[in-house]
């Protein structure tokens, strides 16, 4: 999952970015609405984590404009305000979920996974394909009865393809989902991850579509 974090507090933003990255998310962080608008024009994100108390333009103003433009990306609001009226205002402005500060990173991660499930129309947390089961919350991968060591970018790639099982993605699109702005990308990084996953989980796990890219193999 690639997340756009919009938070002006450096300490909070740095903590969220570091914590969510450790839990397997790709997080790009901006500190104001202007930068967020530029990011949305050039990159594709799965979820927005939005602080309400931003400088110049508030998070709620940004959210209202986002929804007015018919952008349906899931949005998790973060705010120091925790009254019922504040929650109602945030949700009525177009937020999908609301989390008052202070919060635990574990809860932020769980709510983000729930938002993504709902946006994809999935009712359960686990992802399954043939004899393969993936648990995104614990980052555990099971092949039949055996746990397989799949971590980091390999796990993110596997999750991405399993979440979109019928879609074909080019190398560039997969790189965009796996790497944030500050992460270096080697020219053959996707190919390396695909090769490693096939070696661990079977050659049929990922299908190469000649001239187009990759998709999850047939069930």
């Amino acid at each position: 999952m690639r997340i756009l974090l919009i938070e002006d507090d450096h300490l909070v933003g740095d903590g969220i970015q570091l914590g969510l990255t450790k839990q397997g998310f790709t997080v790009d962080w901006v500190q104001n609405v202007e930068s967020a608008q530029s990011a949305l024009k050039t990159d594709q994100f799965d979820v927005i984590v939005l602080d309400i108390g931003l400088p110049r333009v508030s998070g709620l103003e940004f959210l209202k404009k986002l929804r007015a433009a018919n952008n349906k990306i899931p949005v998790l609001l973060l705010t120091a305000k925790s009254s019922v009226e504040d929650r109602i205002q945030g949700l009525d402005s177009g937020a999908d979920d609301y989390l008052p500060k202070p919060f635990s990173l574990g809860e932020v991660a769980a709510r983000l996974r729930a938002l993504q499930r709902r946006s994809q129309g999935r009712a359960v947390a686990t992802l399954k394909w043939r004899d393969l089961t993936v648990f995104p919350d614990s980052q555990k991968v099971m092949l039949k009865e055996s746990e397989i060591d799949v971590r980091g970018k390999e796990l993110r790639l596997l999750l991405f393809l399993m979440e979109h099982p019928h879609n074909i993605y080019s190398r560039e699109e997969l790189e965009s989902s796996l790497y944030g702005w500050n992460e270096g990308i080697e020219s053959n990084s996707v190919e390396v991850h695909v090769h490693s996953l096939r070696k661990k989980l079977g050659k049929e796990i990922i299908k190469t579509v000649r001239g187009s890219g990759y998709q999850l193999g047939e069930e």
Side-chain angles (χ1 to χ4, degrees):
M1 192 190 312
R2 188 173 181 185
I3 297 164
L4 178 61
L5 170 62
I6 312 171
E7 168 63 66
D8 67 317
D9 186 297
H10 186 80
L11 187 62
V12 174
D14 187 60
I16 293 174
Q17 184 179 47
L18 180 61
L20 291 182
T21 299
K22 287 182 177 180
Q23 296 196 46
F25 298 92
T26 299
V27 185
D28 291 312
W29 172 28
V30 297
Q31 300 182 36
N32 54 62
V33 166
E34 295 84 357
S35 297
Q37 291 171 331
S38 297
L40 289 170
K41 290 177 181 178
T42 58
D43 291 281
Q44 191 75 27
F45 299 92
D46 298 298
V47 181
I48 292 175
V49 177
L50 174 64
D51 179 39
I52 287 180
L54 297 171
R56 296 186 296 279
V57 180
S58 74
L60 287 184
E61 290 179 67
F62 166 75
L63 179 57
K64 290 176 183 177
K65 291 180 180 178
L66 192 73
R67 296 311 189 211
N70 201 34
N71 191 319
K72 299 178 181 179
I73 184 172
V75 175
L76 172 61
L77 279 185
L78 303 178
T79 178
K81 300 179 180 180
S82 58
S83 69
V84 173
E85 291 76 15
D86 291 321
R87 293 199 295 273
I88 291 173
Q89 185 181 17
L91 294 169
D92 282 346
S93 296
D96 297 274
D97 202 355
Y98 189 106
L99 194 57
K101 300 175 181 178
F103 47 77
S104 74
L105 283 173
E107 184 175 5
V108 174
R111 287 175 181 263
L112 289 172
R113 288 191 293 267
L115 285 178
Q116 189 179 40
R117 286 199 302 274
R118 290 201 293 271
S119 69
Q120 295 172 349
R122 290 192 291 115
V124 297
T126 56
L127 293 165
K128 293 187 176 182
W129 180 85
R130 291 191 179 181
D131 296 323
L132 181 67
T133 305
V134 180
F135 302 85
D137 54 345
S138 61
Q139 301 184 49
K140 185 166 72 171
V141 177
M142 299 292 296
L143 184 60
K144 295 184 178 178
E145 302 299 322
S146 301
E147 183 172 352
I148 308 299
D149 185 21
V150 181
R151 304 179 187 179
K153 293 291 190 297
E154 287 180 16
L155 178 58
R156 294 190 203 181
L157 176 58
L158 178 63
L159 284 170
F160 184 80
L161 291 175
M162 292 185 73
E163 287 163 353
H164 310 87
H166 305 296
N167 296 353
I168 300 171
Y169 291 97
S170 67
R171 178 168 58 84
E172 291 75 18
E173 289 173 320
L174 292 175
E175 287 175 347
S176 178
S177 72
L178 294 175
Y179 293 91
W181 297 327
N182 298 320
E183 297 180 274
I185 306 175
E186 296 182 9
S187 59
N188 65 337
S189 58
V190 169
E191 288 82 357
V192 170
H193 297 320
V194 168
H195 175 77
S196 181
L197 286 171
R198 285 171 173 164
K199 187 175 181 180
K200 293 178 180 180
L201 304 174
K203 292 186 294 183
E204 70 281 359
I205 183 66
I206 297 174
K207 177 182 177 182
T208 299
V209 181
R210 187 168 298 178
S212 298
Y214 301 95
Q215 69 177 149
L216 194 67
E218 297 175 0
E219 287 206 60

